[in-house]
Amino acid sequence: MWPLAPAWLLLHMWEHFAFDPSLTSWVSDVAYPLMKGLCEFYLDFLVVAPADVEPEQYIVTNPSMSPEHTIRNSLALTYGSTIDNSLLRDLFNHTAEFANMLGVDSDFASNLTSTMARLMPFRIGSLGQIQEYARDYDANEGFNHVSQLYPLFPSAQIDPRFNTILTDAAKVTLKQRGDSSNGEPTAWRADFFSRLLDGEKAYYYMQRLLQLYSYDNLWSINDIYQIDGNFGGASAVAEMILQSHNGEIHLLPAIPSSWTQGSIKGFRARGFTVDMTWSDGVLVSATLTSTSGTFARVRYAGNAIDITQRQGASRTLTPSDF
Ligand SMILES: *[C@@H]1O[C@H](CO)[C@@H](O)[C@H](O)[C@H]1NC(C)=O
Ligand SMILES: *[C@@H]1O[C@H](CO)[C@@H](O)[C@H](O)[C@H]1NC(C)=O
């Protein structure tokens, strides 16, 4: 049992809206009430860490765990695991944003924001890694799961474009955990390296996923068939070609050198649809069509430009625009 699993599940509702910001009535009727209810549960569940343990008196989950891992091969339960803190940051943040957007529950939303500020921040351990737990329990050994890097992917709290200290620590963590020996963790590694903007490493894990951990029909192997290797692998390929988190649409962010040319049509970015072609490893052109008239910062090869398009309007960009 993992009390934070519902947070991860409901965060998909935020993502659904982020990819299609025209869904405001669905947010108000379906997504927001569920997310609000879950936040109420967590506000009730969270406790203040005792001052002799955490002088800053952070607000933590307790009991807490990091999925399917144990601490030094014995216990699994502790307080304030990194994935718990990270999921709560996202859930409280996005639920407060929905409340603000809908113009409802302003006291509740500010409660979420102030609680969010008291969650334990990331900690970098003695090995230079992103700590998996509040205490520096991590050993320098391989393991399939890398739950402490949920904030790198699918969340975007660790972003190499904005925070090199956390990014470097995430790289140390991935080095410690090693290659993994199953489908879903291999797909997740491909996702991590896409987000680290390392196309060669992402490609390396995609090759492992397809060569070692896929049946002949391409279903993913996790000892037995398990769909998350397929979903994770598909998202890694998409994220090698196009990313759209933290307010930016990033064209060809992690394209491996062997993918010299290609094209996509109707790819969804958060708030935009993208058609794009590239050749000799460089962008030829990208056409962005706004799904809801929102602003976007578009990044290519180290430079970013800002565009705002009317809903349904398109704009074609070429390398000379950057
Ligand atoms: C949510 O997080 C983003 C990114 O850190 C921040 O800019 C925004 O103000 C937060 N929103 C709320 C309601 O706390
Ligand atoms: C804010 O959260 C606390 C629990 O952390 C709760 O006691 C209080 O009623 C909440 N206030 C609102 C307006 O939701």
Side-chain angles (χ1 to χ4, degrees), residues 36 40 42-44 46 59 105-112 114-115:
K36 181 186 176 192
E40 286 168 338
Y42 289 127
L43 287 176
D44 202 31
L46 290 165
I59 292 180
D105 299 332
S106 61
D107 288 350
F108 180 68
S110 57
N111 211 350
L112 292 178
S114 57
T115 307

Side-chain angles (χ1 to χ4, degrees), residues 69-294:
H69 206 196
T70 51
I71 297 166
R72 298 186 182 146
N73 296 321
S74 60
L75 305 173
L77 297 182
T78 179
Y79 66 95
S81 70
T82 297
I83 188 169
D84 283 6
N85 302 332
S86 306
L87 282 164
L88 288 170
R89 264 194 291 278
D90 278 343
L91 181 71
F92 289 174
N93 176 280
H94 296 325
T95 305
E97 300 222 308
F98 274 163
N100 296 341
M101 179 184 97
L102 298 170
V104 297
D105 299 332
S106 61
D107 288 350
F108 180 68
S110 57
N111 211 350
L112 292 178
T113 306
S114 57
T115 307
M116 198 164 58
R118 293 187 61 195
L119 294 169
M120 192 178 292
F122 293 110
R123 287 179 165 171
I124 295 178
S126 58
L127 302 165
Q129 85 286 13
I130 300 280
Q131 279 181 211
E132 185 162 15
Y133 303 101
R135 306 282 188 95
D136 193 2
Y137 293 129
D138 301 340
N140 192 358
E141 62 192 9
F143 188 62
N144 273 335
H145 290 292
V146 198
S147 300
Q148 64 274 48
L149 294 192
Y150 157 86
L152 175 62
F153 182 90
S155 181
Q157 296 170 32
I158 299 176
D159 186 327
R161 298 167 303 185
F162 305 119
N163 191 315
T164 46
I165 293 172
L166 293 176
T167 299
D168 289 347
K171 288 178 183 168
V172 171
T173 294
L174 282 167
K175 203 162 178 196
Q176 287 166 351
R177 288 291 156 103
D179 272 351
S180 108
S181 55
N182 243 324
E184 172 271 323
T186 300
W188 205 359
R189 280 159 173 75
D191 287 308
F192 288 140
F193 281 101
S194 300
R195 284 289 176 88
L196 290 171
L197 311 177
D198 184 341
E200 301 312 319
K201 273 282 183 60
Y203 183 63
Y204 165 80
Y205 284 111
M206 281 310 301
Q207 283 186 307
R208 283 178 65 87
L209 182 66
L210 292 169
Q211 289 169 358
L212 303 178
Y213 307 117
S214 298
Y215 294 108
D216 289 346
N217 67 359
L218 294 182
W219 283 11
S220 181
I221 303 172
N222 221 59
D223 299 326
I224 52 164
Y225 163 60
Q226 203 174 296
I227 189 68
D228 43 9
N230 288 99
F231 288 158
S235 78
V237 170
E239 296 250 344
M240 289 155 83
I241 297 169
L242 180 72
Q243 297 182 14
S244 64
H245 49 274
N246 287 335
E248 293 197 352
I249 294 176
H250 198 157
L251 308 176
L252 302 176
I255 202 86
S257 60
S258 55
W259 291 2
T260 49
Q261 58 182 15
S263 65
I264 55 169
K265 201 165 172 45
F267 246 46
R268 299 301 292 270
R270 291 172 179 81
F272 284 79
T273 303
V274 180
D275 300 339
M276 178 169 63
T277 52
W278 70 98
S279 179
D280 293 326
V282 295
L283 177 70
V284 175
S285 70
T287 300
L288 284 79
T289 306
S290 175
T291 40
S292 59
T294 42

